[in-house]
Amino acid sequence: MKKLVAMLLSAILLSALLLTSCGTETASEEQTDAVTKATTETTEATSESESETESESTEATTETPEASEVKILVAYFSCTNTTEQIAEWIADYTGADLYEIVAADPYTEEALAYYTGGRADQEQSDDSARPEISGSVENIEDYDIIFLGYPIWHGQAPKIIYTFLESYDFGNVTIIPFCTSHSSGIGSSAENLHSLVSDSVTWDDGRRFSGDATEDDVIEWVESLDLPESEASKMSEVGIFNFETKTVLLNSGYEMPIVGLGTYSLSDEECAVSIAALLEAGGRLIDTAYMYGNEAAVGEAILSSDVPREEIFVITKLYPTQYSYAAEAIDDALERMGLDYIDMIILHHPGDGDVEAYLALEQAVADGKVRSIGLSNWYVEELEEFLPQVNITPALVQNEIHPYYQENDVIPYIQSLGIVVQGWYPLGGRGHTSELLNDETIVAIAEAHGVSSAQVILRWNLQKGVVVIPGSSDPEHIRENLDLFGFELTDKEMEAINALDRNEKHDWY
């Protein structure tokens, strides 16, 4: 599966960036796809911070990728909040750190009154004025780009900006100034600042924003700068479903499809047929497990297809009986599947030795055998106990989720940790699928959109931010289960399905 440009994830790997102002499967398919499947699907856990080129990402690697090191700071001085708003928009869009330049002696309205001989007038007419700043930026040498914002006072930057620039050794940083003003351009206000720092600093052209500037105006300007993407900006995209690419960015730095195929209960022959149908229809996510007994068939189907290996995202699972020899079990899975690496391995459900088994998964990430790791059938209490004991935050947690068992308290909690949620038994599970697909609320919504009940349920999951992996051995159903992007459920329809929750779990995990 195509990998995004890797992010700066070292921190994740070791523990769980103006106005005069300042300042479908069908019922039968789901049945065959479920039952022990409940023990299934957890998705990638956190890991590797890789920085490969696009061409390099098409090859398996045994080295931990290097991290991107672009770091951005937005530093601003604001008194009437106009500059502050612009700065916040820039920081939100770029994922930059935000620092407010605050005067040790705050400016009052009287001090800011123009042409009264007040403090601001005096400072702006005194070349040597350097108002004292309260606080400082730590490790400013770590930043590659600094946006510097200020209001225009008497056609120039306030002298407190001079104080800021003379307080640091910026090294080879790039400074991008922006100002807020009724009408003055940034022109000489920015140029006059250049001499305050060393020649190693690069200055980009600045931009003036009027008091009625909108967020769209600011974003358009920032986009025109063609900045390298910062770590924080990339991380802000983690867990956000992209309905155009049909993928989600994991906290491990890899993209994963948001719709795929579950292979629980599929025999070797059925696996071959199902995976061929999935790949032919454009699907690229395949979920298997040691306990399914079909890892070898899955690997053979992948390697015999015409689809490049790097475009396919493969998930498998270690069962609790393997936790005591997890490192060996990982190697066994690679050998059975005939793959150089596995996109994600997850622990099937809690059990004795699960922490030690997860630490073995972490080592497999470091060794380049596995790209992402995760958990299956872990809920809030289990996660609260488990996560402090490991180093890499799971990239994915896979739990039972369907309209009759919605986990509305669990899903937001998992997502708040930067972990993607994946649902097994999306259509209710063995013995319950028919009832769910014939639920009058779901049937009515399906008829309104001209789609199947299964498609409505799967789309409901996607709009809740839940990845789905319905299982099927029927090529027609597999194609239907992938066809979820030509319609969208309304808020009212989502609410109607949400109201079906019975807290009715259909398996024991």
Side-chain angles (χ1 to χ4, degrees):
M1 178 65 206
K2 178 182 176 183
K3 183 178 79 60
L4 272 185
V5 176
M7 304 185 253
L8 180 60
L9 293 175
S10 300
I12 292 177
L13 287 170
L14 299 175
S15 83
L17 180 240
L18 305 132
L19 221 59
T20 323
S21 71
C22 24
T24 52
E25 128 195 292
T26 65
S28 59
E29 303 306 336
E30 173 60 79
Q31 294 170 352
T32 61
D33 195 353
V35 93
T36 304
K37 163 101 190 199
T39 65
T40 136
E41 308 109 281
T42 174
T43 337
E44 296 190 28
T46 359
S47 67
E48 339 169 9
S49 59
E50 300 195 11
S51 175
E52 299 175 326
T53 62
E54 182 64 19
S55 60
E56 289 171 334
S57 69
T58 63
E59 299 177 0
T61 177
T62 58
E63 298 181 0
T64 301
E66 297 180 1
S68 167
E69 305 208 355
V70 176
K71 196 170 183 182
I72 302 175
L73 174 70
V74 179
Y76 71 95
F77 173 61
S78 183
C79 290
T80 61
N81 301 326
T82 308
T83 311
E84 179 180 40
Q85 179 64 85
I86 304 296
E88 289 177 348
W89 285 335
I90 295 173
D92 286 345
Y93 184 73
T94 62
D97 293 335
L98 193 62
Y99 172 74
E100 181 178 9
I101 301 169
V102 177
D105 181 11
Y107 289 89
T108 64
E109 289 187 16
E110 182 180 5
L112 296 173
Y114 272 14
Y115 306 115
T116 63
R119 176 181 168 190
D121 289 345
Q122 293 175 28
E123 289 177 355
Q124 292 305 99
S125 63
D126 181 358
D127 290 340
S128 65
R130 296 294 186 271
E132 184 180 352
I133 294 174
S134 175
S136 61
V137 180
E138 295 184 3
N139 302 319
I140 200 162
E141 67 277 2
D142 292 343
Y143 292 98
D144 302 286
I145 298 170
I146 296 177
F147 284 87
L148 180 61
Y150 51 87
I152 294 294
W153 287 3
H154 294 293
Q156 293 298 323
K159 287 301 175 64
I160 196 170
I161 297 298
Y162 289 51
T163 308
F164 175 78
L165 290 172
E166 291 176 342
S167 298
Y168 302 96
D169 178 2
F170 292 99
N172 296 314
V173 73
T174 294
I175 297 179
I176 307 174
F178 64 94
C179 73
T180 53
S181 170
H182 279 299
S183 58
S184 303
I186 197 168
S188 63
S189 80
E191 294 172 5
N192 290 345
L193 302 177
H194 295 188
S195 63
L196 304 176
V197 297
S198 69
D199 292 339
S200 63
V201 172
T202 299
W203 287 83
D204 276 8
D205 293 336
R207 169 70 181 267
R208 178 191 73 84
F209 293 98
S210 62
D212 60 356
T214 66
E215 184 174 7
D216 287 342
D217 295 331
V218 175
I219 291 175
E220 182 180 1
W221 172 61
V222 174
E223 288 180 338
S224 72
L225 299 174
D226 195 25
L227 301 174
E229 195 172 11
S230 70
E231 148 68 359
S233 176
K234 292 172 184 176
M235 289 306 297
S236 70
E237 300 171 6
V238 168
I240 304 300
F241 282 18
N242 186 326
F243 282 80
E244 292 185 4
T245 62
K246 306 174 185 177
T247 60
V248 61
L249 177 64
L250 301 169
N251 60 24
S252 57
Y254 291 92
E255 285 182 310
M256 181 180 72
I258 56 178
V259 182
L261 173 71
T263 64
Y264 167 72
S265 81
L266 296 183
S267 67
D268 289 356
E269 184 177 349
E270 288 172 325
C271 264
V273 172
S274 298
I275 292 174
L278 177 83
L279 298 177
E280 182 180 356
R284 295 294 185 267
L285 173 62
I286 302 169
D287 178 86
T288 183
Y290 166 75
M291 279 300 290
Y292 299 172
N294 58 19
E295 285 179 319
V298 169
E300 184 178 352
I302 290 170
L303 296 176
S304 63
S305 76
D306 294 330
V307 178
R309 166 67 184 95
E310 67 274 6
E311 292 185 12
I312 302 173
F313 197 104
V314 184
I315 301 173
T316 193
K317 309 173 191 71
L318 299 186
Y319 202 68
T321 55
Q322 298 177 291
Y323 292 172
S324 62
Y325 60 97
E328 180 182 345
I330 294 167
D331 290 338
D332 289 345
L334 284 163
E335 184 176 353
R336 275 192 299 273
M337 301 179 80
L339 302 177
D340 294 326
Y341 66 93
I342 296 173
D343 297 275
M344 178 181 287
I345 297 183
I346 61 181
L347 302 186
H348 214 134
H349 60 76
D352 291 341
D354 50 16
V355 172
E356 291 76 13
Y358 191 88
L359 296 177
L361 291 180
E362 292 183 353
Q363 184 59 50
V365 169
D367 294 339
K369 298 175 181 179
V370 180
R371 293 188 166 182
S372 302
I373 55 181
L375 303 169
S376 184
N377 304 299
W378 255 261
Y379 301 89
V380 176
E381 291 184 5
E382 291 86 351
L383 287 168
E384 288 178 341
E385 179 182 354
F386 186 85
L387 294 180
Q389 302 181 72
V390 301
N391 304 306
I392 297 177
T393 302
L396 177 141
V397 170
Q398 186 186 77
N399 287 337
E400 177 181 347
I401 299 171
H402 49 76
Y404 292 163
Y405 187 73
Q406 298 187 17
E407 289 198 8
N408 289 321
D409 57 337
V410 180
I411 293 172
Y413 171 76
I414 294 174
Q415 293 172 335
S416 73
L417 300 174
I419 302 172
V420 171
V421 177
Q422 188 178 72
W424 53 263
Y425 275 177
L427 303 182
R430 186 184 299 275
H432 301 277
T433 303
S434 180
E435 178 187 9
L436 183 57
L437 294 183
N438 287 287
D439 186 288
E440 60 181 14
T441 297
I442 294 172
V443 170
I445 294 172
E447 291 176 349
H449 289 279
V451 297
S452 70
S453 292
Q455 287 173 305
V456 166
I457 294 169
L458 296 176
R459 177 72 194 199
W460 169 78
N461 274 278
L462 295 185
Q463 289 183 212
K464 288 169 68 75
V466 176
V467 176
V468 290
I469 44 173
S472 178
S473 59
D474 185 322
E476 182 179 348
H477 295 153
I478 291 171
R479 288 190 290 270
E480 180 182 284
N481 292 344
L482 294 172
D483 187 15
L484 307 176
F485 302 91
F487 69 102
E488 181 177 357
L489 302 181
T490 66
D491 291 343
K492 186 176 181 179
E493 290 168 338
M494 290 292 292
E495 292 171 2
I497 300 176
N498 291 343
L500 299 177
D501 191 14
R502 304 173 179 174
N503 196 31
E504 184 178 284
K505 208 170 189 315
H506 292 161
D507 220 318
W508 65 272
Y509 298 105

